[in-house]
Amino acid sequence: MLHQMRREKSLYGQQAGVDRLLLIHPDTDACSRLALDAEHLGFTVFDVLSVAEALEAIRINGPFGVIVLGTVAGTNDKTAPTGATYVNMVRSLKRQAGQAEIIFITQQSLDMNTCCDLMRSGVSSFVDARNGRIDDSLFIDRITRARQQFQQIT
C-alpha cells in the first residue's frame, strides 16, 4: 500500500512517466524532504517505505521516469543489508519498471564490486549519504540528469 501520494498531475501532452518519480526510503523525514525537492522541479512524487510497496506502486501507478532507492544503514554489520541484497532489490525494480532511471542513495560504504554490480543491474547514479545527510544540491542534480536520460531513451 502506498505510504503517501503527493499532488496529481495529468500526463496529457507529456511523455508517459517522464515527470513521475517514485521515491523509496524507509526514513519518513528524509523521504518528505527529498519529495519536496523533487516537487520543486516539477515531478509528481509517489513515496513508499519499501521495495515491496514500490513494486506495487509501479504496477498500479506506473510508469515512472525516475526511481530513487534510499537505504538506511544497519545499526551494526549484522543488521546492515549486504551488497547482494541491494543488487536483488535493483533487479526487481528494473524488471518491473523497465526504462526508468534508478538513483541509489546509500548510507554505508559500498565496495567497488558492489557498485559495479548495482550499475549492471540498473542503477544510473549514486548519492552518498554516509554522513547521515543527503546533499540537496547533489540530489537535485541527480534527478534532473535522470529525467534527461529517461527522455533520451524513451
Side-chain angles (χ1 to χ4, degrees):
M1 188 166 186
L2 288 179
H3 170 62
Q4 286 182 328
M5 269 204 267
R6 302 226 179 243
R7 64 188 162 95
E8 291 295 322
K9 211 156 91 169
S10 171
L11 290 177
Y12 181 76
Q14 288 183 304
Q15 201 171 0
V18 73
D19 289 325
R20 294 164 55 88
L21 184 142
L22 179 59
L23 178 57
I24 310 155
H25 204 295
D27 178 340
T28 55
D29 292 334
C31 199
S32 294
R33 196 180 84 250
L34 296 173
L36 285 174
D37 285 343
E39 287 176 342
H40 284 283
L41 293 173
F43 283 98
T44 299
V45 178
F46 293 79
D47 56 84
V48 295
L49 298 175
S50 69
V51 171
E53 288 179 3
L55 295 171
E56 183 73 5
I58 293 166
R59 189 180 65 73
I60 294 170
N61 300 300
F64 293 94
V66 179
I67 297 174
V68 177
L69 175 58
T71 64
V72 174
T75 55
N76 61 47
D77 288 341
K78 293 181 181 176
T79 62
T82 64
T85 302
Y86 291 135
V87 169
N88 288 332
M89 288 177 187
V90 170
R91 284 183 181 148
S92 296
L93 290 167
K94 197 64 175 175
R95 205 173 14 256
Q96 184 110 3
Q99 297 296 322
E101 294 290 311
I102 299 177
I103 299 169
F104 189 82
I105 300 174
T106 182
Q107 291 189 4
Q108 65 189 73
S109 296
L110 299 173
D111 62 53
M112 184 60 74
N113 289 333
T114 300
C115 290
C116 290
D117 287 344
L118 286 165
M119 296 288 286
R120 281 190 288 274
S121 299
V123 170
S124 59
S125 64
F126 295 87
V127 174
D128 182 2
R130 284 180 290 175
N131 63 1
R133 178 124 172 85
I134 298 166
D135 180 335
D136 288 339
S137 61
L138 180 61
F139 175 71
I140 288 168
D141 176 70
R142 294 294 192 265
I143 63 176
T144 300
R145 287 180 187 207
R147 175 171 33 198
Q148 291 166 348
Q149 284 295 113
F150 180 76
Q151 286 173 318
Q152 289 177 359
I153 61 174
T154 57

